[in-house]
Amino acid sequence: TTKVIFLTFYYALIFPAGFFWAAATLTVKYWADKLCLLRRWAPAPKLGTRIGEKSRMYFFFGGIITYAVMSSYMYASYPYDNACSTDEIVAHKYVGLFTAETGGGKTVEFTIADQDEIYKFCKQNLVDNLWPNILSAIENQSKEGIEWITPSQRFLTISGWTSTIV
């Protein structure tokens, strides 16, 4: 149960349907455990309620904190595409309509516009980049004239503070 909830919270941003899968999984687990408890299993040992209380007290709190931190990090940096902006504009000789072939042999058309940005491959590893990104965001926010998020991303700060408060 705790694994399902933790994984649901951890991957909620990239797989929102995971909440439905988790609900279905926990429902099936509930009914299977109920059936086994009433029909198949022997009486449980006398452990008391301390394990369940500790799990609710610490694990669920830790799961919600993980959910808040991972959601704000994923919204802020979106580390799934391994593409980083170079802040350069595409040269005029590359502007136009092009066709390309995918790895599966399918032909696709794409357009490069006049003001498109150039992106480069970069390693966006969560473990290596989590704390430097958070620290640089705080540092850049404190410097005048440097914006670390665009005005259209201002809602992320609301999401981040709400997640922290929850």
Side-chain angles (χ1 to χ4, degrees), residues 13 27 33 46 49 53 71 73 75 85 94 127 157:
L13 183 69
T27 301
D33 284 351
K46 305 289 186 217
T49 60
E53 290 170 1
S71 293
Y73 174 75
Y75 274 121
S85 176
Y94 297 115
V127 176
T157 57

Side-chain angles (χ1 to χ4, degrees), residues 69-89:
V69 169
M70 293 306 296
S71 293
S72 61
Y73 174 75
M74 299 303 175
Y75 274 121
S77 65
Y78 197 76
Y80 306 108
D81 57 2
N82 289 330
C84 295
S85 176
T86 61
D87 295 326
E88 298 176 21
I89 303 298

Side-chain angles (χ1 to χ4, degrees), residues 1-137:
T1 302
T2 53
K3 287 186 249 181
V4 171
I5 292 171
F6 180 78
L7 289 173
T8 301
F9 284 161
Y10 191 85
Y11 291 110
L13 183 69
I14 60 172
F15 187 60
F19 286 108
F20 296 112
W21 283 100
T25 301
L26 293 175
T27 301
V28 169
K29 183 171 175 33
Y30 168 78
W31 285 104
D33 284 351
K34 182 177 180 180
L35 176 72
C36 289
L37 183 65
L38 296 175
R39 305 277 184 213
R40 311 225 351 118
W41 291 341
K46 305 289 186 217
L47 294 176
T49 60
R50 289 187 312 169
I51 294 175
E53 290 170 1
K54 298 285 186 198
S55 176
R56 281 192 305 271
M57 186 176 187
Y58 296 112
F59 174 77
F60 289 116
F61 179 72
I64 290 172
I65 294 297
T66 300
Y67 176 61
V69 169
M70 293 306 296
S71 293
S72 61
Y73 174 75
M74 299 303 175
Y75 274 121
S77 65
Y78 197 76
Y80 306 108
D81 57 2
N82 289 330
C84 295
S85 176
T86 61
D87 295 326
E88 298 176 21
I89 303 298
V90 173
H92 185 67
K93 66 181 179 181
Y94 297 115
V95 173
L97 178 66
F98 299 93
T99 59
E101 191 172 306
T102 65
K106 182 180 176 184
T107 302
V108 294
E109 290 187 355
F110 62 95
T111 304
I112 298 178
D114 213 10
Q115 294 296 316
D116 283 350
E117 275 187 66
I118 297 175
Y119 287 84
K120 66 176 184 172
F121 175 81
C122 61
K123 182 180 175 189
Q124 295 180 335
N125 185 356
L126 172 67
V127 176
D128 295 342
N129 297 330
L130 180 62
W131 294 115
N133 284 345
I134 290 173
L135 296 176
S136 68

Side-chain angles (χ1 to χ4, degrees), residues 147-157:
E147 296 286 327
W148 68 282
I149 59 173
T150 63
S152 65
Q153 294 173 325
R154 293 282 180 216
F155 79 93
L156 295 176
T157 57

